[in-house]
Amino acid sequence: MDDYRELVSEILVTEEALQARIAELGREISKDYTGQDLHLICILRGGVLFLTDLMRFITVPITIDFMAVSSYGATQRQSTGQVRIAYDLQSEIQGRNVLLVEDIIDSGYTIASVLELLNTRHPHSLRVCTLLNKPERREVEVPIDYCGFDIPNKFVFGYGLDLDEYWRNLPFIASVNLDRYQPPEE
Ligand code: IMP
Ligand code: MG
């Protein structure tokens, strides 16, 4: 797997389109939270690139924190509906305006469980910002307040999203060439 180009079926979102949309989202978020502080929570690891680009376009005072959850086993891609907290937040969220920053919402189980957990900690507000959304795959309804792009039901990688942990550093979102790479459980 030395050359990502062999693994790409199609570039679904170019670097230019990503950056333009992220700037727009940042401006929209800044407008919505005018006069307030905002606490961004990034879900590791896929959301990292999105967080760091998005936060540069937010003009209200922000703080950031991270959490890691796992809903996918090492060899399977189907969400189980069960989410395990692998790394919890380092700061309290009670009374704060919290915005969850996610790479992709697929079945919806991950974000639904995270929202349920965070709500028990009584934030002042709790919203969701996802870069990508696969509406066709939704199994549980989740509120999405900010969405970068709706994408078709294809396994994608790049810009934070991995293929067996590699290629997160690509600056665009690509769909996988299924002749060259077989996602184990799609
Ligand atoms: P959900 O619980 O099914 O909504 O799964 C969301 C998580 O699954 C995301 O945070 C990703 O880590 C992973 N995921 C879903 N679809 C893809 C994909 O097409 N490529 C890479 N990771 C994905
Ligand atoms: Mg993720």
Side-chain angles (χ1 to χ4, degrees):
M1 227 206 275
D2 308 332
D3 191 342
Y4 73 82
R5 281 168 295 195
E6 292 179 12
L7 299 167
V8 171
S9 164
E10 190 189 343
I11 307 252
L12 288 184
V13 191
T14 63
E15 180 173 3
E16 295 70 28
L18 272 177
Q19 294 301 326
R21 181 72 185 121
I22 292 167
E24 255 174 34
L25 286 172
R27 286 192 288 267
E28 198 184 326
I29 292 165
S30 303
K31 199 165 141 238
D32 292 352
Y33 289 91
T34 303
Q36 301 174 72
D37 285 16
L38 180 60
H39 190 53
L40 302 173
I41 293 180
C42 173
I43 304 184
L44 296 170
R45 289 172 291 251
V48 166
L49 271 74
F50 181 37
L51 172 81
T52 55
D53 280 342
L54 178 69
M55 62 194 273
R56 288 176 237 222
F57 293 102
I58 298 181
T59 51
V60 299
I62 58 153
T63 46
I64 62 170
D65 203 353
F66 298 89
M67 74 189 295
V69 297
S70 52
S71 57
Y72 283 61
T75 57
Q76 68 179 80
R77 299 272 162 66
Q78 288 291 107
S79 198
T80 58
Q82 299 263 310
V83 169
R84 191 176 59 87
I85 304 290
Y87 173 78
D88 206 346
L89 299 175
Q90 298 300 294
S91 46
E92 300 288 334
I93 59 166
Q94 183 167 357
R96 303 172 83 170
N97 291 312
V98 173
L99 182 61
L100 271 180
V101 177
E102 244 298 38
D103 51 357
I104 186 165
I105 301 181
D106 188 32
S107 70
Y109 282 121
T110 306
I111 209 80
S113 312
V114 170
L115 285 173
E116 199 182 310
L117 171 78
L118 296 185
N119 266 319
T120 66
R121 300 181 186 179
H122 307 294
H124 175 69
S125 67
L126 180 57
R127 288 185 179 165
V128 174
C129 176
T130 187
L131 179 65
L132 305 174
N133 178 33
K134 284 187 196 170
E136 289 166 51
R137 298 257 304 170
R138 197 60 32 82
E139 285 174 36
V140 55
E141 209 178 314
V142 283
I144 303 179
D145 301 282
Y146 305 96
C147 175
F149 301 88
D150 279 348
I151 60 164
N153 180 14
K154 291 181 175 167
F155 201 81
V156 296
F157 70 110
Y159 199 75
L161 295 119
D162 68 302
L163 275 189
D164 292 341
E165 293 302 327
Y166 287 94
W167 308 118
R168 294 184 191 272
N169 52 321
L170 297 177
F172 50 79
I173 302 282
S175 60
V176 175
N177 177 352
L178 296 172
D179 295 335
R180 304 306 288 260
Y181 182 90
Q182 207 57 50
E185 296 256 319
E186 257 275 82

